[in-house]
Amino acid sequence: MRREEEVSLVGLTIRTSSASATASSSSKKGKDVHTNDASDSSPSIKNSPFNSPSLVSPPSSAFVSALQSPYISPRATTQPITTTTHKPPSSPPEDVPSSSYTPPSDQYEFSDDPSDRKQLKLSSACTPDPALPRISFSFPVPRVSLAKVSVSSPATTNTTKLRSSDVFIGFHGQNPNLVRFCKWLKSELELQGIACFVADRAKYSDTQSHEIADRVICSVTYGIVVVSCSSLLNYLSLEEVRFFAQKKNLIPIFYGTGPSEIMSLLNCNAIDKECKEAIDGLIKCHEFKLEANESNWRSCVGKTAMILRGKLGRKSVVDKEIVERIDELPFPRNRTFLGREKEIMEMEMAFFGSGEYLESTTPSSKGETSGQSEGLADEESDAVSTRNGKFITLELGRCSEQRSDPNGGKNSLKRLLKTKKSRSSSNCKSSSTSVVCVNGVPGIGKTELALEFAYRYSQRYKMVLWVGGEARYFRQNLLNLSFSLGVDVSADAEKDRGRLRSFDEQEFEAFKRIKRELFRDMPYLLIIDNLEIEKDWWEGKDLNDLIPRNTGGTHVLITTRLPKVMAFDTVQLPVLSSSDAMVLLRGRRKKDYPAEEVEILKVFEEKLGRLSYGLWVIGSLLSELAITPSALFEAVNKVHLEERSASPFLNSNDEQYCKSNPFVAKVLAFCLAVLEQAEGNRNLLSLKMLLVGAWFAPVPIPVNLLAAAAKNMPTGGNRFSKWNKCLSHTFAWCGGCGLGRRSEEDAAFLLVRLGLARMTNRQPGCWIQFHPITQTFARRRDYILAPKATVQGVRKIENPLLNLDHLWASAFLVFGFKSEPPLVELQAMDLVLYIKRTALPLAITAFTTFSRCTSALELLKVCTNVLEDAEKSFVTQIQDWRQSSLCWKKKTNKKVDEYVWQDVTLLKALLLETRAKLLLRGGHFDSGEELCRTCISIRTVMLGHNHELTLAAQETLAKLVRMRSKI
């Protein structure tokens, strides 16, 4: 039955509005335009409903007539038609209808045979025949000559066929934030499986673009109109509102305004009848209360998607709600954040611009289209909007031509609407950027500023993505975004047929997938915290390879110590003001001190250079300890810093910072003494957690893992005995402050209370993260026992995917990378356990899950070399034992553990086989075959020819030989 109704719609009413069409229609008044028999229409019409916007081959093809495309309506006259073909540009311009493209449905085309036109009967009556089903909209005749079609026409700019849409999204305005919001809404709906068409029709400069939008408006199931103050000044937006409201499928979204402000316009005499009808339709359809402002964009988009999923029955397609992610941001919001308002305003202006964009949209007396793209209008496209003072209404059931008053009520309405926007400005800043760098010295508060900006403006983004920018972990942190973005970045599986891609191609494709998802119309806020270098630490690739020029709707915020990063805009962060610094020094309890103590606080302020990190630590000490500023200053000054050799695991910048900030070093040494004294030298769990935590990666650490590593660290003597007696009166006041022996979480929380670490939002369990300056000074304190305890604790990680950075940190400690020597030397048995439980699973995960092919193979190669060195040491011990005298043999009872030797050799064979399998995936057959033959030789000697492991290695070798012969 539905099919028959659609075929019966062949009686399509043609409305004429141009001068020539008006004269023709007046001579044939009262006649309807229809075909006498549906069977006489083209076959494509039989196979497709008339209200489908599907397209045939576009007129850019030299083999198809221009009239065969539904972009062009059949002309009512019989004058010759000139076929024009245009070479489509590489990408469509901004002013053409925006839509998604999929494989088309059934073709809908008009015949260019002149005999077919004889079936049409012209009529000037606008009311359709009651005997025919009423359609939603009547298409006008072409508004410009076919011989002068604008190059910006979508028919000539895209050879892809247009699919039918579920939802039309209409808006009007030049505010880039409004455009950003509409693109976000379209992307979110299409993510939910809802096809959308978004358009600001006032910007279309040719007839064909308008006709495409007209067809989509008729065919969609629901119409969304984003209503701003500019919309009420544009008759096309008013037409959309009135049309969808009459069809009862309007979903209005009030952007930057509200229904109360819109209703207040009904009492204004400056508005005409059409505007009143549109306002009345908006109020009646405002059942879902969709109002978008700068503080609820994400919620509004999510609510709109939920409503349309329910109405369209798409819950089975995507059944997920847009909710606030608990761990979206790494840290809780700093409720005591102060200052930095100027810098936050600069960042907001850089990303979003400033002011409102309320342009004049009143049609002028010359009939020019408001909002047209510059340089795309011509003398005939000027008639698109007004048609000599007339415009086409999208009303349901009737067609009338309304006259616009170019000097009448619309100007008064515009002045009225302008008064409702106090921030509107005709000369406002419209330029914006997508990448901003915040730079400053260590400890000045760059991370706090980025965190505060993210919390303030999180509703303007689909998601906030936080990435650590430390050189060793930056690559892995970017690949970790695949979990948040839902992108598969795994490496290619083994292929028996087809082309094998190289490792470079697979790694490039992994980053390409993330960039494709991240840098599109969906707005994300990507924060790269503490970027250390501009190039990739692993391969030396430039930062431009990771962050493209066009980031789409995504904004990138970088915090760094570097004075300049590429050519990105920079916000230089100054030190805190004296008043803000004093607030931090008073601590969380905000104690009031006498004048002489306030002077001591000013001395602290001067010594610390008004840097937020040092000020916060001093404020925390004053809040947690029963101590006055003068006593604290005296105790810190008595701390003697021992001259220590440079740590082999600190870079030159960290060493230079430690030397140039001796007072900060004294403050942190005092904190270590407080931890040791407070715990009574019994357990020292907090102190050990601080020392081992310095060697973990600079990302959140689970407290249970931190405690497990701390328990592997032996308890030494009192390292601060040389000056601890001088501070006895200070530590005597710590007894009543609750700093005694406590549990694992309490020990971690003590570090947070002293300002040395901070709580994180990571779930499940309790996670903390140390400040980079805390880690730097702790590494200088102990780089022998603490790193080894860290490596032993990492072996107890249960979920490798949640702690990949910590696994890599332990690998750096054990093996060293590039020019860095290994810092931890393990015994043979410990080395075997570490490689089996940590290094080998890490390499396989990095290769298969994240396509880190080169890094994984390099790690496996380093492991193999270390095991070979262990084998050589066993051989050397045996030779020395045999060559030594009998007397020496009796004195030395040391014997080589043959079982450990066997484990080392078999593990080496396993690593060789694993490397061969991975090399197979990248097409390195010769290298893989050589490694596999070595593995077979080892297993044949150690296990025998028929052992299952030997046979498995032989199968791998056969596969390598077979694949090499094919290629």
Side-chain angles (χ1 to χ4, degrees), residues 493-496 500-501 503 506 847 857 914-925 927-929 955-956 959-964 967:
E494 294 184 9
K495 297 180 180 179
D496 293 332
L500 291 176
R501 297 190 299 175
F503 293 142
Q506 295 184 44
F847 188 101
L857 289 171
T914 304
R915 291 169 60 189
K917 290 181 178 179
L918 298 182
L919 288 171
L920 171 64
R921 296 192 181 188
H924 297 270
F925 305 118
S927 301
E929 181 179 347
E955 291 180 4
T956 303
K959 185 180 297 185
L960 284 164
V961 174
R962 183 171 63 252
M963 292 295 295
R964 186 181 62 177
I967 297 179

Coordinates of all heavy atoms in Angstrom, one line a residue, residues 493-496 500-501 503 506 847 857 914-925 927-929 955-956 959-964 967:
A493 N 47.4 -9.1 11.2 CA 47.5 -10.5 11.6 C 48.3 -11.2 10.5 O 48.6 -10.6 9.5 CB 46.2 -11.1 11.8
E494 N 48.7 -12.4 10.8 CA 49.4 -13.2 9.8 C 48.5 -13.4 8.6 O 47.3 -13.8 8.7 CB 49.8 -14.5 10.4 CG 50.9 -14.4 11.5 CD 51.4 -15.8 12.0 OE1 51.0 -16.8 11.3 OE2 52.1 -15.8 13.0
K495 N 49.1 -13.3 7.4 CA 48.3 -13.4 6.2 C 49.0 -14.5 5.3 O 50.2 -14.5 5.1 CB 48.3 -12.1 5.4 CG 47.6 -11.0 6.1 CD 47.6 -9.7 5.2 CE 46.9 -8.6 5.9 NZ 47.0 -7.3 5.1
D496 N 48.1 -15.4 4.9 CA 48.6 -16.4 3.9 C 48.6 -15.9 2.5 O 49.3 -16.3 1.6 CB 47.8 -17.7 4.0 CG 48.0 -18.4 5.3 OD1 49.1 -18.3 5.9 OD2 47.0 -19.1 5.8
L500 N 51.7 -8.0 2.3 CA 52.2 -7.8 3.6 C 52.7 -6.3 3.7 O 53.6 -5.9 3.0 CB 53.3 -8.8 4.0 CG 52.8 -10.2 4.2 CD1 54.0 -11.1 4.5 CD2 51.8 -10.3 5.3
R501 N 52.2 -5.6 4.7 CA 52.7 -4.2 4.9 C 53.9 -4.2 5.8 O 54.0 -5.0 6.7 CB 51.6 -3.3 5.4 CG 50.4 -3.2 4.6 CD 49.4 -2.2 5.1 NE 48.9 -2.5 6.4 CZ 48.2 -1.7 7.2 NH1 47.8 -0.5 6.7 NH2 47.7 -2.0 8.4
F503 N 56.6 -2.7 8.6 CA 56.3 -2.2 10.0 C 56.1 -0.7 10.0 O 55.2 -0.2 10.7 CB 57.5 -2.6 10.9 CG 57.6 -4.0 11.1 CD1 58.9 -4.6 11.2 CD2 56.5 -4.8 11.2 CE1 59.0 -6.0 11.4 CE2 56.6 -6.2 11.5 CZ 57.9 -6.8 11.5
Q506 N 52.5 -0.1 9.0 CA 51.6 -0.5 10.0 C 51.5 0.6 11.1 O 50.5 1.0 11.6 CB 51.9 -1.8 10.6 CG 51.7 -3.0 9.6 CD 52.0 -4.3 10.1 OE1 51.5 -4.6 11.2 NE2 52.7 -5.2 9.4
F847 N 53.3 -4.7 20.3 CA 53.2 -5.1 18.9 C 51.8 -5.3 18.4 O 51.4 -4.7 17.4 CB 54.1 -6.3 18.6 CG 54.3 -6.6 17.1 CD1 55.5 -6.3 16.5 CD2 53.3 -7.3 16.4 CE1 55.7 -6.5 15.2 CE2 53.5 -7.5 15.1 CZ 54.7 -7.2 14.4
L857 N 60.1 -5.1 18.7 CA 61.3 -5.9 18.3 C 62.6 -5.5 18.9 O 63.4 -6.3 19.2 CB 61.3 -5.8 16.7 CG 60.2 -6.6 16.0 CD1 60.2 -6.2 14.5 CD2 60.3 -8.1 16.2
T914 N 59.7 -15.9 19.0 CA 58.8 -14.8 19.0 C 59.2 -13.7 18.0 O 58.3 -13.2 17.3 CB 58.7 -14.2 20.4 OG1 58.3 -15.3 21.4 CG2 57.6 -13.1 20.5
R915 N 60.5 -13.4 18.0 CA 60.9 -12.4 17.0 C 60.7 -12.9 15.6 O 60.3 -12.1 14.7 CB 62.4 -12.2 17.3 CG 62.7 -11.4 18.6 CD 64.2 -11.4 18.9 NE 65.0 -10.8 17.8 CZ 66.3 -10.8 17.8 NH1 67.0 -11.4 18.7 NH2 66.9 -10.1 16.8
A916 N 60.9 -14.2 15.3 CA 60.7 -14.7 14.0 C 59.2 -14.6 13.6 O 58.9 -14.2 12.5 CB 61.1 -16.2 13.9
K917 N 58.3 -14.9 14.5 CA 56.9 -14.8 14.2 C 56.5 -13.3 13.9 O 55.7 -13.1 13.0 CB 56.1 -15.3 15.4 CG 56.2 -16.9 15.5 CD 55.3 -17.3 16.7 CE 55.3 -18.8 16.8 NZ 54.5 -19.3 18.0
L918 N 57.0 -12.4 14.7 CA 56.7 -11.0 14.5 C 57.3 -10.5 13.2 O 56.7 -9.7 12.5 CB 57.2 -10.2 15.7 CG 56.5 -10.5 17.0 CD1 57.0 -9.6 18.1 CD2 55.0 -10.5 16.9
L919 N 58.5 -10.9 12.9 CA 59.1 -10.5 11.6 C 58.4 -11.0 10.4 O 58.4 -10.4 9.3 CB 60.6 -11.0 11.5 CG 61.6 -10.3 12.5 CD1 62.9 -11.0 12.5 CD2 61.8 -8.8 12.0
L920 N 57.7 -12.2 10.6 CA 56.9 -12.7 9.5 C 55.8 -11.8 9.1 O 55.4 -11.7 7.9 CB 56.4 -14.1 9.9 CG 55.3 -14.8 9.0 CD1 55.9 -15.1 7.7 CD2 54.8 -16.0 9.7
R921 N 55.2 -11.1 10.1 CA 54.1 -10.2 9.8 C 54.5 -9.0 9.0 O 53.7 -8.3 8.4 CB 53.4 -9.8 11.1 CG 52.8 -10.9 11.9 CD 52.0 -10.4 13.0 NE 51.3 -11.4 13.8 CZ 50.4 -11.2 14.8 NH1 50.0 -9.9 15.0 NH2 49.9 -12.2 15.4
G922 N 55.8 -8.7 9.1 CA 56.3 -7.5 8.4 C 57.0 -7.8 7.1 O 57.5 -6.9 6.4
G923 N 57.1 -9.1 6.7 CA 57.7 -9.5 5.5 C 59.2 -9.6 5.5 O 59.9 -9.8 4.5
H924 N 59.8 -9.7 6.8 CA 61.2 -9.9 6.9 C 61.5 -11.4 7.0 O 61.8 -11.9 8.1 CB 61.7 -9.1 8.1 CG 61.6 -7.6 8.0 ND1 62.5 -6.8 7.5 CD2 60.5 -6.8 8.4 CE1 62.1 -5.6 7.5 NE2 60.9 -5.6 8.1
F925 N 61.4 -12.1 5.9 CA 61.5 -13.5 5.9 C 62.9 -14.0 6.2 O 63.1 -15.0 6.9 CB 60.9 -14.1 4.6 CG 59.5 -13.6 4.3 CD1 59.3 -12.9 3.2 CD2 58.5 -13.9 5.2 CE1 58.0 -12.5 2.9 CE2 57.2 -13.5 4.9 CZ 57.0 -12.8 3.8
S927 N 65.5 -12.7 7.8 CA 65.9 -12.5 9.2 C 65.1 -13.4 10.1 O 65.7 -14.0 11.0 CB 65.7 -11.0 9.7 OG 66.4 -10.1 8.9
G928 N 63.8 -13.6 9.8 CA 63.0 -14.5 10.6 C 63.4 -15.9 10.5 O 63.5 -16.7 11.5
E929 N 63.8 -16.3 9.3 CA 64.3 -17.7 9.1 C 65.6 -18.0 9.8 O 65.7 -19.1 10.4 CB 64.5 -17.9 7.6 CG 64.9 -19.3 7.2 CD 65.1 -19.5 5.7 OE1 64.6 -18.7 5.0 OE2 65.7 -20.6 5.3
E955 N 57.4 -25.7 12.5 CA 56.2 -25.2 11.7 C 56.3 -23.7 11.4 O 56.0 -23.3 10.3 CB 54.9 -25.4 12.5 CG 54.5 -26.9 12.7 CD 53.3 -27.1 13.5 OE1 52.7 -26.0 13.9 OE2 52.9 -28.2 13.8
T956 N 56.9 -23.0 12.3 CA 57.1 -21.5 12.0 C 58.1 -21.4 10.9 O 58.0 -20.5 10.0 CB 57.6 -20.8 13.3 OG1 56.7 -21.0 14.4 CG2 57.8 -19.4 13.1
K959 N 56.5 -22.1 7.6 CA 55.7 -21.0 7.2 C 56.5 -19.8 6.6 O 56.1 -19.2 5.6 CB 54.8 -20.5 8.3 CG 53.8 -19.4 8.0 CD 53.0 -18.9 9.2 CE 52.2 -20.1 9.8 NZ 51.4 -19.6 10.9
L960 N 57.7 -19.5 7.2 CA 58.5 -18.5 6.7 C 59.0 -18.9 5.3 O 59.1 -18.0 4.4 CB 59.7 -18.3 7.6 CG 59.4 -17.5 8.9 CD1 60.6 -17.8 9.9 CD2 59.3 -16.1 8.6
V961 N 59.4 -20.1 5.1 CA 59.9 -20.5 3.8 C 58.8 -20.5 2.8 O 59.1 -20.0 1.6 CB 60.5 -21.9 3.9 CG1 60.9 -22.5 2.5 CG2 61.7 -22.0 4.8
R962 N 57.7 -20.9 3.1 CA 56.5 -20.9 2.2 C 56.2 -19.5 1.8 O 55.9 -19.2 0.6 CB 55.3 -21.6 2.8 CG 54.1 -21.7 1.9 CD 53.1 -22.6 2.5 NE 52.5 -22.1 3.7 CZ 52.8 -22.6 4.9 NH1 53.6 -23.7 5.0 NH2 52.2 -22.1 6.0
M963 N 56.1 -18.5 2.8 CA 55.8 -17.2 2.4 C 56.8 -16.5 1.6 O 56.5 -15.7 0.7 CB 55.6 -16.4 3.8 CG 54.3 -16.8 4.6 SD 52.8 -16.4 3.7 CE 52.9 -14.7 3.6
R964 N 58.1 -16.8 1.9 CA 59.2 -16.2 1.0 C 59.1 -16.7 -0.4 O 59.3 -16.0 -1.3 CB 60.5 -16.6 1.7 CG 61.7 -15.9 0.9 CD 63.0 -16.3 1.6 NE 63.2 -17.7 1.4 CZ 64.4 -18.3 1.8 NH1 65.3 -17.6 2.4 NH2 64.5 -19.6 1.7
I967 N 56.4 -14.8 -2.3 CA 56.7 -13.4 -2.6 C 58.0 -13.2 -3.3 O 58.1 -12.4 -4.2 CB 56.6 -12.6 -1.3 CG1 55.2 -12.6 -0.7 CG2 57.0 -11.1 -1.5 CD1 55.1 -11.9 0.6

